Amino acid sequence: MVIATTQLMVVLDATIVNIALPSAQRALGMSDADRQWVITAYTLAFGGLLLLGGRIADLVGRKRTFMIGLVGFAVASGLGGAATGSGLLFGARALQGAFAALLAPSALSLLTTTFPRGKERSKAFGIYGAIAGGGAAIGLIAGGLLTEYLDWRWCLYVNVPVALVALTGAAVFLRDRPERKRVFLDVPGAVLGCGGLVAIVYGCSEAQPRGWGDGRVVGLLAGGAALLAVFAWWQTRARHPLLPLHIVRDTNRGGAFLTMALVVIAMFGMFLFLTYYFQTVLGYSPVRAGLAFLPMVAAIVVGSTQISARLLHRVPPRFLMVPGALLAAAGLFTLTFLTARPAYVSHVLPAELLVGLGMGLTFMPVMATATTGVARQDSGVTSATVNTAQQVGGSIGTALLNTIATSTSAAYLADRLAEAARRSAGHQLPPAVREGLVKDGVVHGFTAAVGTGSVIMLVAALVAGTMVKAPGPASALPEKPAPEPPTRPVRY
């Protein structure tokens, strides 16, 4: 429960401020161009530092890293809530992301080492998978409630008591067996890996306002890819690599990492667009918009804790991943039939239930497969790689699908406005007609983006079915010892 509570805090903090952002912008006098840094500062630090955070957990101890991360996250949250200017808020969000990069991999590796196999492991990963899949939606619900009934600052303050409770629970209940082998930190690898991830996450965030063809965006993405390529080469040379390549070379584990990234790319766009659909098209309040996600959260919990957790120790993991991704793809496809007319019961609710069940079936076996059979001294960095796939996938998905939505909406609206102007013989369109066309354009772009997400989800099902070939339950796979490091000298 301590680990689950902490993971929920980390995951929902990526979205809890979304609904509160307009209020924070007015209170602190942020410009439209700068407000994105409330989100970007967190995602940059979180996504960019995850690999380093995972190896630090292996180096200094998972429980110790977990508790340091909790304290730092609470302090950063308090600073952000008390911010008197935009600069302090941006800095606090970056600090939150940095400590989240310590928390997330240490939490998952503690879960992995605490529950090595069997039914208890399945139950633990069922709860963890439900949080991973539904945390973003829970963040939207919590953000709406806190913003409407308290103040936007409570979207940050709320982390302080939660972190203190988790810290007390960690001190009392968590155990971490010290490693016999000493773990070393690969400094060049940390610089290359973290630099490449930061560049890619930043490039994706800049692609939303600037477009994918912008010089800065192209430069960031190309530079990030180049740094990661050099990072991969260096990991074959380093005496103590930050990310031992045997972790990602394993077909089952590599398939789980790729499945995670693809699923999150497809899913994160849905949260963004449904939020706009509820508030802009249907006119929901922030609280009502957040509560509209509850059926999806409930379906994720049921799929993860009541289906996946009961079946993972009995069937191969791909038997859960593939049907889960197919269900989610069907749910996303259902949303492509949306119009500007209210259609929550007929379209949105069935889609949320399908996507929620699909996420519950997918996330739990993906995480269990990715972290099974890893030597204890590599569990931290392996857990970090899972979180990195999730974080980078979310950044890419939000930017990619948002670009598709906005460009499709703009083209649709331009065509419809030109056609309406011809019909009106040059007379100005009534405000109601123009507003209706704008809503139609927003929904048209949304359906195009979600249709793309449905295709990506089908690709995730294909990857899971062809790459994840573990014949037995993920929870029963034996732990593999890490190979001996290379003995040749390394030049720095």
Side-chain angles (χ1 to χ4, degrees):
M1 187 56 68
V2 172
I3 296 172
T5 301
T6 303
Q7 180 64 15
L8 177 61
M9 181 178 66
V10 170
V11 173
L12 66 80
D13 230 71
T15 58
I16 194 172
V17 299
N18 283 19
I19 292 178
L21 192 53
S23 300
Q25 183 179 2
R26 289 191 299 269
L28 300 181
M30 282 183 277
S31 67
D32 289 344
D34 288 341
R35 67 183 178 186
Q36 66 158 330
W37 281 101
V38 177
I39 309 297
T40 304
Y42 182 84
T43 57
L44 269 181
F46 187 18
L49 297 175
L50 270 168
L51 285 179
L52 180 60
R55 187 48 93 187
I56 289 175
D58 292 330
L59 179 64
V60 304
R62 300 169 194 87
K63 180 178 177 179
R64 184 182 301 174
T65 304
F66 184 81
M67 297 179 72
I68 292 172
L70 278 172
V71 172
F73 198 88
V75 170
S77 298
L79 286 174
T84 55
S86 58
L88 181 57
L89 179 58
F90 300 157
R93 289 288 287 167
L95 198 60
Q96 273 187 304
F99 282 107
L102 288 178
L103 272 175
S106 58
L108 183 54
S109 59
L110 279 169
L111 190 71
T112 302
T113 55
T114 302
F115 302 97
R117 58 180 55 85
K119 292 183 179 180
E120 291 301 316
R121 177 185 172 91
S122 297
K123 291 178 182 178
F125 271 95
I127 297 171
Y128 195 91
I131 291 171
I138 295 171
L140 295 172
I141 297 171
L145 291 170
L146 292 171
T147 301
E148 187 155 328
Y149 293 115
L150 291 174
D151 184 75
W152 69 267
R153 296 180 184 276
W154 277 97
C155 292
L156 295 165
Y157 283 146
V158 70
N159 292 321
V160 178
V162 174
L164 291 177
V165 171
L167 185 66
T168 303
V172 174
F173 298 111
L174 292 186
R175 298 289 182 269
D176 183 26
R177 189 174 68 195
E179 302 295 344
R180 295 179 179 178
K181 294 183 178 180
R182 185 181 176 188
V183 181
F184 297 88
L185 184 62
D186 173 20
V187 176
V191 173
L192 291 168
C194 295
L197 290 173
V198 166
I200 288 177
V201 173
Y202 185 33
C204 290
S205 67
E206 287 291 290
Q208 297 180 57
R210 294 174 176 271
W212 290 94
D214 181 80
R216 176 183 293 184
V217 174
V218 173
L220 285 167
L221 294 178
L227 284 173
L228 291 181
V230 177
F231 168 76
W233 169 82
W234 172 252
Q235 297 310 282
T236 66
R237 306 284 299 173
R239 185 180 298 276
H240 305 287
L242 179 70
L243 176 61
L245 293 184
H246 68 87
I247 292 175
V248 294
R249 282 175 180 159
D250 180 86
T251 304
N252 292 310
R253 195 170 296 116
F257 293 150
L258 185 54
T259 300
M260 170 67 81
L262 290 169
V263 165
V264 174
I265 287 173
M267 186 185 70
F268 259 57
M270 176 185 171
F271 289 132
L272 175 66
F273 300 130
L274 276 183
T275 302
Y276 277 107
Y277 176 76
F278 291 148
Q279 297 190 64
T280 303
V281 179
L282 301 186
Y284 286 6
S285 67
V287 171
R288 189 179 180 187
L291 293 177
F293 285 100
L294 271 179
M296 183 191 299
V297 176
I300 290 173
V301 172
V302 170
S304 187
T305 62
Q306 301 303 312
I307 301 177
S308 286
R310 294 175 184 272
L311 294 179
L312 184 62
H313 62 283
R314 298 180 180 179
V315 301
R318 67 182 182 278
F319 284 12
L320 296 171
M321 295 181 196
V322 174
L326 292 176
L327 278 175
L332 292 174
F333 183 71
T334 302
L335 290 175
T336 62
F337 296 99
L338 274 180
T339 66
R341 292 184 295 275
Y344 182 84
V345 174
S346 61
H347 289 76
V348 178
L349 182 58
E352 285 191 355
L353 294 175
L354 286 171
V355 172
L357 283 173
M359 291 300 94
L361 289 174
T362 304
F363 268 89
M364 184 262 193
V366 162
M367 290 186 169
T369 302
T371 55
T372 296
V374 178
R376 288 180 62 89
Q377 65 266 26
D378 290 330
S379 63
V381 73
T382 304
S383 302
T385 308
V386 181
N387 283 280
T388 300
Q390 184 176 0
Q391 184 66 26
V392 174
S395 299
I396 294 173
T398 301
L400 174 63
L401 298 183
N402 188 62
T403 302
I404 293 172
T406 53
S407 59
T408 305
S409 293
Y412 178 91
L413 188 58
D415 291 341
R416 294 302 184 274
L417 287 175
E419 182 181 348
R422 286 195 299 270
R423 291 180 177 178
S424 63
H427 297 290
Q428 189 173 7
L429 293 176
V433 174
R434 176 177 287 273
E435 182 181 353
L437 288 174
V438 170
K439 287 184 177 181
D440 287 339
V442 169
V443 175
H444 183 72
F446 165 69
T447 56
V450 172
T452 304
S454 179
V455 174
I456 295 172
M457 198 67 78
L458 290 176
V459 176
L462 180 64
V463 169
T466 56
M467 292 186 66
V468 183
K469 299 179 180 180
S475 57
L477 294 176
E479 181 179 285
K480 299 177 182 178
E484 291 297 322
T487 56
R488 58 177 178 270
V490 179
R491 298 177 181 177
Y492 291 89

